[in-house]
């Protein structure tokens, strides 16, 4: 007799539930893909770029269209995120007073510093700006709200992964994300050392790797367990950021302390 344990057969009901779960995962993948692309696309273009069967993408797109989650826009059968998502987001904000408090804090930071203030979080294994108040400078220094960026490119990234072990960090961040915008590579060991120092000091600042003229600041917003679940950030012209370094950090830390426990 074989010692191999028998595998219980999958029932039709279990198989149906599994297919629905995979379909839901794929639907969210489509929505995230369109969010990051920031442009309407045809279903066959979506399927090709996410590596999914065209038949399943067409089926899910039609379902999302019927429910207002996607809308036709741009002609030629192109689809993009639908207005129902706006209403869902508005309902989310109405439920959480923190967002209003966060907007007020960003407003104060921008007024105090004249620089662009941001509230930033992780989105999966990427960094994103969730809220932003632009400074009063005549030129724009900011990232688009909701745009996903590799974690090692950002000051906030050093704080947002600090609760992970060294091994968890290198497993969590895709290896390709350690390539900087200028084509150079950041040694994961150097990044982890920066993570540990940022966690110890409660701050991280550096000259931006995304462009050549800005200096970025980030301080953590921690939960009850001390984990940095979000950051408050400033993006400033490099010379001004270095000149006002201590004052900018003070403004961020005061705002983070005032918001502590509310997010």
């Amino acid at each position: 007799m074989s010692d191999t344990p028998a595998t219980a057969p999958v029932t039709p009901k279990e198989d149906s539930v599994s297919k629905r779960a995979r379909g839901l995962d794929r639907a969210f993948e489509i929505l995230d893909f369109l969010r990051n692309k920031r442009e309407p696309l045809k279903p066959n273009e979506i399927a090709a770029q996410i590596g999914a069967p065209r038949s399943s993408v067409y089926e899910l797109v039609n379902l999302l269209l019927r429910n207002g989650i996607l809308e036709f826009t741009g002609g030629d059968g192109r689809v993009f995120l639908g207005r129902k998502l706006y209403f869902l987001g508005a309902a989310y904000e109405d439920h959480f007073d923190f967002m209003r408090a966060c907007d007020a804090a960003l407003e104060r930071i921008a007024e105090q510093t004249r620089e662009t203030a941001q509230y930033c979080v992780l989105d999966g294994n990427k960094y994103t700006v969730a809220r932003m108040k632009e400074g009063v400078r005549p030129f724009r220094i900011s990232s688009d709200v909701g745009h996903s960026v590799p974690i090692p490119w950002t000051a906030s990234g050093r704080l947002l992964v600090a609760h992970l072990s060294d091994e968890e960090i290198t497993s969590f961040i895709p290896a390709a994300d350690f390539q900087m915008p200028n084509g150079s590579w950041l040694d994961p060991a150097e990044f982890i050392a920066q993570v540990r120092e940022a966690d110890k000091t409660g701050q991280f600042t550096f000259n931006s790797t995304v462009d050549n003229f800005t200096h970025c600041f980030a301080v953590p917003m921690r939960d009850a367990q001390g984990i940095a679940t979000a950051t408050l950030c400033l993006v400033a012209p490099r010379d001004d950021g270095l000149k006002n370094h201590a004052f900018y950090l003070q403004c961020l830390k005061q705002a983070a302390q005032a918001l502590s426990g509310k997010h």
Side-chain angles (χ1 to χ4, degrees):
M1 290 181 63
S2 173
D3 292 331
T4 303
T7 301
V10 176
T11 67
K13 182 178 180 180
E14 290 173 333
D15 187 52
S16 176
V17 170
S18 177
K19 287 181 179 178
R20 286 199 298 272
R22 289 196 299 271
L24 186 59
D25 286 341
R26 183 71 77 187
F28 280 117
E29 183 180 7
I30 292 170
L31 295 176
D32 277 336
F33 175 74
L34 288 172
R35 185 197 69 173
N36 289 322
K37 291 295 288 186
R38 300 299 177 104
E39 62 178 340
L41 293 170
K42 298 177 182 178
N44 65 316
E45 294 172 329
I46 297 172
Q49 294 188 49
I50 67 175
R54 284 197 299 175
S55 58
S56 63
V57 169
Y58 271 99
E59 182 180 354
L60 287 168
V61 164
N62 285 330
L63 176 63
L64 294 169
L65 285 167
R66 288 198 300 271
N67 287 277
I69 303 300
L70 293 179
E71 294 179 357
F72 284 115
T73 182
D76 297 327
R78 291 182 175 87
V79 298
F80 196 62
L81 304 178
R83 69 191 69 187
K84 190 168 186 178
L85 292 173
Y86 170 81
F87 296 123
L88 292 171
Y92 174 84
E93 289 198 4
D94 287 343
H95 185 66
F96 291 98
D97 290 338
F98 168 75
M99 290 302 180
R100 285 185 286 274
C102 181
D103 287 341
L106 294 178
E107 185 87 29
R108 285 193 300 273
I109 295 169
E111 288 178 354
Q112 290 171 326
T113 64
R114 295 171 52 87
E115 311 295 0
T116 296
Q118 300 173 334
Y119 170 73
C120 306
V121 295
L122 291 183
D123 179 22
N125 60 3
K126 296 289 190 286
Y127 151 98
T128 191
V129 177
R131 312 290 287 190
M132 179 173 66
K133 174 62 180 178
E134 291 189 1
V136 296
R137 295 183 178 278
F139 57 95
R140 183 175 187 267
I141 302 178
S142 62
S143 299
D144 291 330
V145 171
H147 183 66
S148 296
V149 176
I151 291 170
W153 295 12
T154 70
S156 292
R158 274 73 175 172
L159 294 160
L160 292 171
V161 298
H163 61 289
L164 301 176
S165 69
D166 294 1
E167 294 76 16
E168 287 171 334
I169 289 173
T170 53
S171 296
F172 180 64
I173 299 176
D177 286 4
F178 286 99
Q179 184 174 26
M180 299 294 100
N182 63 4
S184 65
W185 287 87
L186 174 62
D187 184 348
E190 179 182 351
F191 174 77
I192 290 171
Q194 294 170 351
V195 167
R196 302 305 171 214
E197 181 64 19
D199 189 41
K200 182 171 67 175
T201 61
Q203 63 188 54
F204 191 81
T205 78
F206 73 159
N207 291 330
S208 174
T209 62
V210 178
D211 57 55
N212 295 318
F213 61 91
T214 62
H215 194 80
C216 301
F217 299 74
V219 302
M221 295 182 60
R222 302 185 188 276
D223 63 14
Q225 287 72 46
I227 294 174
T229 56
T231 60
L232 291 180
C233 315
L234 271 181
V235 185
R238 185 168 296 180
D239 289 345
D240 289 339
L242 295 173
K243 178 182 177 181
N244 300 295
H245 195 268
F247 174 64
Y248 286 0
L249 279 173
Q250 178 186 1
C251 293
L252 287 173
K253 289 182 177 181
Q254 287 176 343
Q257 184 176 11
L259 289 172
S260 178
K262 296 179 180 180
H263 69 300

